Amino acid sequence: AVTRDRKAFPLRVDPDLWSAVERLAATDLRSVNAEVEILLREALRGRGIKLDAPQPVRRGRPPKKED
């Protein structure tokens, strides 16, 4: 499986805009980071830019190794 690192960067956002994104994320049961990523993908798709589907993040414990 191909793993891609996530790009981290600081972002300055109007406090009212950030509050709205936080509320939307809470409504959708997502992190604010995931919500921002979804909103960016929707905006790009609206402008005709196609992206590959995001790689799902593996969660939980790694599988046990058998000896």
Side-chain angles (χ1 to χ4, degrees), residues 13-46:
V13 179
D14 176 76
D16 292 336
L17 176 60
W18 190 254
S19 293
V21 172
E22 286 179 318
R23 286 192 305 275
L24 184 59
T27 300
D28 293 342
L29 301 175
R30 293 188 182 110
S31 69
V32 174
N33 187 71
E35 194 66 43
V36 168
E37 203 168 319
I38 287 170
L39 292 170
L40 286 170
R41 286 179 178 280
E42 288 175 355
L44 289 171
R45 188 176 31 232

Side-chain angles (χ1 to χ4, degrees), residues 54 60 65:
K65 293 182 181 179

